[in-house]
Every structure is written in structure tokens, then in C-alpha cells.
Amino acid sequence: MRRVAITGIGVVAPNGIGRQAFWNNCVSGVSGIGPIRSFDATKHPIRIAGEIHDFDPAPLLPADVRKHAKLMARAARFGLGAAALAVNDSGLDFTREDPERLGVAMGTGVVPVDLSELAPMLARACHDDGFDATRLPNPDGNGMFPLWLLKHLPNMTAAHISLAFNCQGPNTTLVTACVAGTQAVGEGFRMIARDEADVVLAGGADSRIDPLMLLAYTALGTLSKSDRPAAESSRPFDRLRDGFVISEGAAVLVLEELERAKARGAEIFAEVTGFGSSFDAYSVTKPDPDGRGGARAIKLALNEAGVNADDIGYINAHGTSTRLNDQMETAAVKRVFGDHARRVKLSSIKSMIGHSIGAAGAIEAAALALSLKHHVLPPTINLTHPDPACDLDYVPNSAQDGRPRVGLSTSFGFGGQNGALVMQAA
């Protein structure tokens, strides 16, 4: 099986755009969570989120692609921007690559319909005589914008990335809730390992900060309703946590066959060595409290990587800041790692950026690779009242120096999805 290196990282996150800004702020414990600005949330039960402000991917894109950016859904713009940042970071000239050996694997959630866009359209189309689609506005004024449906299909982020960089090899979209980004990186890793591609743009992009989606998550009882300052509301593993903070963003990794990366003198951030996926079959909303499904995914990733649990020095945890998920993740780690669970370091960057659902695993995979590269473990901020049920070392509040040789990233999602990635220092 061919080995797979990470040679480029592009991140669009609430606490930083671009690899360096994102990483500096993660290490410094800088939160990107604040009051919602994308709509008037003053009367909404949820008024905070991890939003991306003032991001335009167009300047990052090839000239012939820029004009299409304004027609994309918000998540697709984030994903395409992250891909462009990653490609630039890698030093690869995609115009010189064999397009049939370039793949794309992206994760996302359900792409929400922009109600501010849809409501006026429907109001115009509905009249006394019924529904008339020709009344739906488009830029030409002649009925519904013909690409409106395509704008909201989940696979459009991967499609736009492939079009922008002429990737004609394998292309896949994972829509597996909070595990989608992790699974996309895992599938991209396997595309190269199986010799289906030489380079894969893999990651996740998501955006669902709108009134309806926030009400839906509120009805599930998953979002924080904290009256604390916004930056203190995401509190993974803390006894005072009351739910996650919704966020948005994207991350894309350039995955490349290791020997070709070495041959061209590429900077290698880390090597992806294992991926595991499993399903709880327990509940559509609650994780298995004993962590059995999560533990299976971790064991599968360790087995594929050919390492033992004791080899893992750091875990970039899923750490959502919900009571059940944080306790389950702690149980899963104990189930796999045994006594070593007390020695391994874990941390959750969701304390700083919130939960970006389909993008979360990809952003966290980027953070794991950067931890291995720079020998720094980002903190779990806001961990001031430890939960007795979450009794491991979560790198509380301040970054720590560390030189783990092998690291793990975990993701656990609605429905019972589980995913894990193993990486090794370059």
C-alpha cells in the first residue's frame, strides 16, 4: 500500500483564515466565537456562533473561475477558498499534473437553503391563481435562476474544486454529519494508497448559521444557551458546559503520494497512516455511552496504521462541549488506551472555533498535522471546572510543548457515525 503525505493545508475558520493565522490563534487560545452578524438574532434563542466574516475566495482562484464564486452556496465558497489556499501552500502546479491522477474528497452536511433568498422568491411566485415558476426571479428577470438547485446540492463543493483545478480523477462527497470531514480525509488517503490517484484535495466545508437551522438544533437540545461572554460558551469537558456552539468554515489538505512528494522537495506536514470508520447502531441522536462504536473506529485506524495504542502521544479530540458526547469520548479513549489513557494528551479546538459539523473533522485533521509538525499541543480553553466524568488530560487553557511521534484525530456524529485518523510526524 502506498504511503500518503500531507503537503498543503488550507483553512477557513472562525479564528483564522489561512494555515498560519489559524494555527497561531489555536496555539494562543484565541476564540473565533462571537455574536451572530449574518442575520438579526436579537430575538432568536441562539445569538452566538463561530462565523466567517469578510471572506471572498475569488482573489485566490484561477481567473476563469472567479466569476462563478458569487453563484455558489456559502459552504462551497469556503471549501473552494480552502482548496485554493491548500494548493498554493503545497507548491504544486496543478496545470502540470496529469488531471486523471488528481482526486477530490469532500465532506459536508445538509446544505441549508438561504431563507432570506427563498422567502421573497416564493412570495413572488405565489399569487391568487396559484403558483407560477416564471415569476421566480433570476439575474435576467425571466423566471427562476436556472442554477438555483445546483447551488444547494451537497456535492457542489467537490464539483467546484474539481472544476477549478481540473481534477478528473476520483471524486466523492461524504454527507455523514459531524464525521464527514474526517471520512473525506480518510477516503482521500485510501485513493492514493490504492493507487487510484497521486494527489487528492481532501477536507470538509459547511455553513448552517441561519435562523431555521439554529432553531432545529435548539429543538434537539444540542446548542449552548449560555449567558456567558460568547468566547466562553464552548466548554468541552467542563462541568458547566451546556451544549455546542454552531460554527462554519472549511479545511482542505493536499494529500500526496509520499515518494513523489519527497522527490519534488515538498514540505511534509505529516503522514496519514490509518483511517477507521464505524457505526454505533444505538440511537439517531445519542452516542453509545460506553463508547464502544467510537472505540471500534479508533482501533481500526490504529490497526491500519500498524501502531499500538501506547504509541499515540496526542489526540485532537472531537470534544463538542455536550454532556453526552464528551463523556462518551472519554469512555472510548479509556476503552482503547487502558492505562495509557492517563498519559496521553487530548484537546478540543472546538473550544475556540465551535462546531462546524461537516467541516469539523477536516479542520481538526489540519490541527493534528500542525501539532505534529510544530511540536505544540493546542489547548482546550474554558476548561475551568473539570467534569469528574471527564478525568483525562485535556491540555487545559494553555498550549503545551510536546513531541508526539504519532497522533490521532477523532470524530463522532449524529446517527451514530464514528471516524478516526492516525497521523505520524514527518
Side-chain angles (χ1 to χ4, degrees), residues 124 189 201 221 238 288 293 349:
R124 179 172 175 174
F189 156 69
L201 299 177
D238 189 86
D288 179 345
I349 64 169

Side-chain angles (χ1 to χ4, degrees), residues 88-327:
N88 182 65
D89 197 39
S90 73
L92 278 169
D93 182 352
F94 271 50
T95 65
R96 295 179 177 271
E97 298 290 334
D98 178 354
E100 295 183 6
R101 300 292 294 175
L102 302 177
V104 175
M106 289 296 292
T108 192
V110 176
V111 180
V113 174
D114 186 344
L115 294 180
S116 65
E117 175 185 271
L118 182 60
M121 290 169 59
L122 292 177
R124 179 172 175 174
C126 294
H127 54 96
D128 292 341
D129 297 328
F131 184 83
D132 183 358
T134 63
R135 292 172 175 248
L136 293 170
N138 74 17
D140 299 323
N142 297 317
M144 188 175 190
F145 174 51
L147 298 182
W148 187 87
L149 175 62
L150 298 184
K151 179 179 177 180
H152 297 283
L153 292 178
N155 69 314
M156 282 297 105
T157 301
H160 285 301
I161 291 172
S162 299
L163 287 165
F165 298 102
N166 195 27
C167 300
Q168 299 178 25
N171 184 300
T172 190
T173 297
L174 287 301
V175 189
T176 45
C178 318
V179 185
T182 295
Q183 288 195 312
V185 175
E187 291 300 323
F189 156 69
R190 288 182 175 168
M191 288 175 185
I192 296 174
R194 295 188 300 244
D195 198 18
E196 297 170 2
D198 295 323
V199 178
V200 175
L201 299 177
D206 213 341
S207 176
R208 54 184 67 201
I209 302 172
D210 68 68
L212 181 60
M213 292 300 293
L214 291 188
L215 284 175
Y217 280 109
T218 303
L220 276 177
T222 59
L223 294 187
S224 172
K225 297 181 181 179
S226 168
D227 58 2
R228 299 182 188 89
E232 299 176 12
S233 296
S234 183
R235 313 178 67 85
F237 309 110
D238 189 86
R239 178 168 49 84
L240 301 183
R241 68 193 184 280
D242 70 332
F244 68 78
V245 176
I246 196 76
S247 71
E248 61 185 356
V252 173
L253 309 181
V254 175
L255 304 180
E256 186 174 356
E257 193 275 321
L258 179 64
E259 294 306 319
R260 84 189 296 276
K262 287 180 178 179
R264 71 179 184 87
E267 180 178 14
I268 296 174
F269 294 95
E271 182 181 350
V272 182
T273 55
F275 167 56
S277 178
S278 71
F279 195 79
D280 281 0
Y282 178 83
S283 166
V284 293
T285 56
K286 299 176 182 179
D288 179 345
D290 294 327
R292 287 171 292 198
R296 280 195 301 276
I298 294 171
K299 288 177 181 177
L300 288 168
L302 295 175
N303 289 342
E304 183 167 42
V307 298
N308 298 317
D310 289 357
D311 294 322
I312 299 295
Y314 170 62
I315 301 172
N316 193 286
H318 189 57
T320 59
S321 188
T322 60
R323 182 177 59 86
L324 294 179
N325 196 283
D326 291 356
Q327 291 180 3

